[in-house]
Amino acid sequence: MPVSQFMGAANAHYYATRDPLGTDGDFTTAPEISQMFGELAGLWCADLWDRAGRPDLAWAELGPGRGTLAADARRAMARAGLTPPVHLIETSPSLRARQAERMPDATWHDAVDGLPADLPLLVVANEFLDALPVRQLIRRAGGWHERLVACQDLLFLPVAGGQVPDAIIPASLRDAPPGSVIETSPASVGVVRALAERLRVQGGAALLIDYGYEGPALGDTLQAVRGHAYANPWEEPGNRDLTAHVDFGTLAAAARAQGCAVNGSVFQGDWLRALGLDQRAAALARARPDRANEVEAARHRLTDPAQMGTLFRVLALTAPGWPVPAGFGE
Ligand code: SAH
């Protein structure tokens, strides 16, 4: 089967059957590292809402995990006077249950098409797009081939499948040397297109945060983590978290084609500092001196270039006529 089908099926099982987050789980994320992350995302939303003239709107998160970002963002938004209805896009029944513990009043949907159609939308997604399936194309001497996953003696392994037309490969990468891999994510492009179309018609903005690059580019970034360590992505499908780096360049182009303004991508570290992370960390450390070391460690982890600071990027889509959001220049 194509790599995209393997990744989609494996992740559907993986997320449906566990809570993957936290020290006992497989990986941790920025909102789980510190409350400051969700609070700043909430303040970003409240500031944009204020400068857009305080319209009635709906707030949504894609792939909310444990609901930590949403809960922290909501608290910060409420302090700024913004208390919108909350919509969560989540396919995993077990994670929906976790989210309901913190947000019993939220409304759940399987996909973006379930979001309200009559209000501007403020949408946040952290480490959501990296979990959506990627297609892999591999260069052989005579052209490009779809990468497939085969099963041989009970082992899964990648093999080159049928040749694909050169026209589906970005022109700048077509002549890459044999062995090169290109990833595309039709699923992510589909989500961003649907979001951008909603924003263009309804107004609002989307904040997309993930590890990634400004592509299209060559490279095989498919990875698996288990118990906070890298693992072989082809082994034990459904029991390891499969992710791929997000091509923000391609997603930005898709949003622009749909009529949205695109801000960034910028590095997560720069974005958080522009929003006042250092000041928030100092205030928290003053309020709880016993936890000052913990706050400083989180601040460092979220922003340091050797940690999450430049690996993670932030892209914001805004509806035509909406203000430039905080943290994106000027
Ligand atoms: N945003 C959270 C969790 C990231 S893990 C955080 O930062 O901590 C990825 C999340 O996306 C999980 O909640 C997972 O169940 C959800 N998810 C993965 N694939 C999905 C899909 N195709 N549709 C909806 N949600 C999905």
Side-chain angles (χ1 to χ4, degrees), residues 15 21 27 29 31-32 61 63-65 89-92 95 110 126-128 131-132:
Y15 284 108
L21 291 146
F27 59 92
T29 57
E32 301 296 331
E61 186 178 355
I89 310 282
E90 176 61 71
T91 41
S92 158
L95 287 171
D110 285 331
N126 183 63
E127 289 209 42
F128 168 72
L132 299 186

Side-chain angles (χ1 to χ4, degrees), residues 48 51-52 55 120-121 195-206 255-263 316-325:
L48 193 60
R51 288 189 289 125
L121 301 169
L195 269 181
E197 175 62 14
R198 291 300 202 95
L199 298 179
R200 185 180 66 75
V201 174
Q202 297 171 220
R256 251 186 233 113
Q258 225 63 36
C260 271
V262 169
N263 308 269
L317 317 179
T318 43
W322 274 57
V324 175

Side-chain angles (χ1 to χ4, degrees), residues 248-284:
F248 283 104
T250 296
L251 297 182
R256 251 186 233 113
Q258 225 63 36
C260 271
V262 169
N263 308 269
S265 68
V266 298
F267 292 136
Q268 171 174 296
D270 293 337
W271 182 75
L272 288 171
R273 270 190 299 268
L275 293 184
L277 179 77
D278 294 343
Q279 292 82 345
R280 180 72 184 129
L284 277 178

Side-chain angles (χ1 to χ4, degrees), residues 69-90:
L69 185 155
D72 292 335
R74 238 180 150 178
R75 205 173 52 245
M77 288 190 292
R79 255 187 245 133
L82 175 59
T83 53
V86 169
H87 292 262
L88 304 175
I89 310 282
E90 176 61 71

Side-chain angles (χ1 to χ4, degrees), residues 162-318:
Q163 190 160 349
V164 299
D166 264 9
I168 70 163
I169 307 296
S172 58
L173 304 176
R174 251 171 234 166
D175 295 328
S180 303
V181 171
I182 291 179
E183 289 171 346
T184 66
S185 181
S188 301
V189 170
V191 166
V192 165
R193 254 192 213 144
L195 269 181
E197 175 62 14
R198 291 300 202 95
L199 298 179
R200 185 180 66 75
V201 174
Q202 297 171 220
L207 181 67
L208 310 174
I209 308 171
D210 225 308
Y211 38 91
Y213 56 99
E214 285 286 343
L218 297 175
D220 173 357
T221 74
L222 184 71
Q223 63 184 38
V225 293
R226 177 128 210 226
H228 299 267
Y230 288 108
N232 182 335
W234 312 115
E235 283 176 5
E236 284 195 88
N239 281 324
R240 298 174 178 188
D241 176 49
L242 291 183
T243 65
H245 288 221
V246 172
D247 174 0
F248 283 104
T250 296
L251 297 182
R256 251 186 233 113
Q258 225 63 36
C260 271
V262 169
N263 308 269
S265 68
V266 298
F267 292 136
Q268 171 174 296
D270 293 337
W271 182 75
L272 288 171
R273 270 190 299 268
L275 293 184
L277 179 77
D278 294 343
Q279 292 82 345
R280 180 72 184 129
L284 277 178
R286 272 196 306 276
R288 291 290 302 273
D290 55 315
R291 294 182 65 182
N293 287 344
E294 196 185 310
V295 170
E296 171 51 23
R299 191 200 63 76
H300 185 257
R301 189 161 169 198
L302 293 172
T303 56
D304 193 79
Q307 306 258 336
M308 298 171 80
T310 53
L311 175 62
F312 281 75
R313 289 171 174 268
V314 186
L315 178 73
L317 317 179
T318 43

